[in-house]
Amino acid sequence: MYKAKSNCIKDGSPIEPIIDRELWEKVQTLIAQKAKPFTEGKIGLFARKARCMNCGYTMSSNKQRDGRRYLRCSNRHVAKDACIGSFISVPKLEQAVIEELNKLSAAYLNKDELEQNIVFNSDLRGNKEILQKEIAAYQKKIMEYIKSIRELYLDKVKGVITEQDYMDLSKDFSKEKDRLEKLAADTRERLDVIERKIQAGDNRRQLIEQYTNLEHLDRETVEKLIDYILVGKKDPVTKEVPVEIHWNF
C-alpha cells in the first residue's frame, strides 16, 4: 500500500518517501492491467505474448475510444526515459501473424522445401544411428570394467593379488569406467537434441497445414503457435511497425 509523504522529523530533516505518489499510481495501474481480459472471462488475444522490442517489457492492452484494442509498452508509461516505446493495434498484429504464418506455409509446403527437409531429416536420422552405436559401445566397455573390478576383488579375497595391487588396479578401472559413463551421458544429451529436431521436423508440416489460410486468430491458436512476439516502434518514414515472431515450432 502507498504511504503518503510523512511530516515526521528525524534529526531535523523530513522523511522522504521512497517513490512519489505519481510514479506509484502509474505502477499500480500497470499491475492492474497486466494480462487484463478484454471482456469478462476472456483474456486478450496476445496477452503475455507481445513484448517491446526496445526494452523487453510485456506490452499492456488498452482500448481506444472507438472500441479498437491496441498494445503498448508498459515501461514507456512508467517513465518516459525508460524506453522509446512500442505501439500496435491488435488487429494489425493479428494480420501480421497470419501473413507470416501463410508465408511459412507457402515456403515450407512447396516441393523444393519438402525435398530439402527430407534430406535434412535423413541426415539427422543418420547422426542418430551413429550416436546410438557410440552409446552401445560405451555401455559394453563400462560393463567390462565393472566385471573386471569384481574379478579383481575375488582375486584379492583368494590371495591371488595383494591388497595394494587391488587398490591400484581397481582405482584405474573405476576411473576409466567413470570417464566412459560421462561420455555416454554426453552422447545421450546429443541424441536427445537430434530426436527433438526430428520430431519437430516431422510435426512441422502437419502443424503448418492445420493453420494455413486463417482469417482470424483465437487465443488457443496463439498459445499453440507462438512463444512470444517482439514489437518495435513505428518507422516515421514508412509508417511500418517492426514485428518479430518467435514460434513454438
Side-chain angles (χ1 to χ4, degrees):
M1 181 180 295
Y2 177 84
K3 294 183 178 179
K5 184 175 179 179
S6 172
N7 294 322
C8 297
I9 304 296
K10 183 179 181 180
D11 298 330
S13 302
I15 300 174
E16 296 293 333
I18 297 175
I19 59 173
D20 59 45
R21 174 179 286 276
E22 182 180 2
L23 179 57
W24 183 87
E25 289 177 345
K26 284 183 178 180
V27 171
Q28 299 312 303
T29 300
L30 290 172
I31 291 173
Q33 289 177 343
K34 185 178 181 182
K36 183 179 180 181
F38 287 169
T39 57
E40 187 66 29
K42 183 179 178 182
I43 198 168
L45 184 61
F46 296 107
R48 299 187 300 274
K49 292 289 184 179
R51 305 176 187 174
C52 176
M53 188 178 289
N54 304 298
C55 69
Y57 264 56
T58 300
M59 300 178 75
S60 59
S61 61
N62 294 271
K63 186 177 180 180
Q64 293 178 322
R65 291 181 180 178
D66 59 7
R68 288 186 301 171
R69 299 287 176 180
Y70 64 93
L71 301 166
R72 67 179 182 179
C73 175
S74 305
N75 199 20
R76 168 69 173 172
H77 295 277
V78 172
K80 290 184 178 180
D81 58 349
C83 179
I84 61 174
S86 297
F87 179 96
I88 192 170
S89 70
V90 171
K92 188 169 185 177
L93 182 55
E94 180 184 18
Q95 191 58 39
V97 171
I98 291 173
E99 288 176 0
E100 187 63 26
L101 187 59
N102 287 336
K103 287 179 184 177
L104 280 175
S105 174
Y108 188 79
L109 299 180
N110 69 50
K111 183 178 179 181
D112 291 339
E113 286 290 333
L114 286 176
E115 288 176 351
Q116 291 175 16
N117 187 61
I118 290 170
V119 173
F120 176 68
N121 274 346
S122 177
D123 290 343
L124 286 177
R125 288 187 171 89
N127 291 335
K128 176 181 176 179
E129 290 179 5
I130 291 171
L131 293 179
Q132 286 174 330
K133 289 178 180 178
E134 288 182 5
I135 292 171
Y138 290 142
Q139 289 286 61
K140 183 179 179 180
K141 291 295 293 183
I142 289 168
M143 293 308 297
E144 288 176 358
Y145 277 110
I146 291 174
K147 182 180 179 182
S148 296
I149 292 170
R150 289 173 179 169
E151 290 174 349
L152 279 175
Y153 180 75
L154 291 175
D155 288 343
K156 185 198 73 166
V157 172
K158 294 176 183 178
V160 176
I161 60 174
T162 66
E163 177 74 23
Q164 188 60 49
D165 287 339
Y166 167 74
M167 294 295 292
D168 292 341
L169 290 170
S170 63
K171 182 178 180 181
D172 290 341
F173 286 173
S174 295
K175 185 176 181 181
E176 184 61 18
K177 182 178 72 71
D178 292 344
R179 185 185 73 85
L180 290 169
E181 287 175 343
K182 176 65 167 59
L183 286 172
D186 291 344
T187 306
R188 285 193 196 94
E189 289 182 3
R190 290 162 56 197
L191 180 60
D192 288 343
V193 170
I194 286 179
E195 288 179 336
R196 285 197 297 270
K197 286 182 178 180
I198 291 174
Q199 184 68 24
D202 290 342
N203 290 342
R204 188 169 183 174
R205 177 184 173 87
Q206 180 181 357
L207 187 62
I208 291 177
E209 282 181 329
Q210 184 180 354
Y211 295 101
T212 299
N213 300 321
L214 292 176
E215 293 184 2
H216 294 287
L217 299 174
D218 55 32
R219 181 64 190 182
E220 181 181 357
T221 301
V222 170
E223 287 282 6
K224 184 176 292 186
L225 297 182
I226 298 171
D227 183 11
Y228 63 93
I229 304 172
L230 297 178
V231 179
K233 187 175 177 64
K234 181 190 291 186
D235 188 297
V237 178
T238 65
K239 306 301 180 183
E240 293 295 323
V241 177
V243 173
E244 184 179 299
I245 305 168
H246 293 254
W247 304 98
N248 280 328
F249 53 85

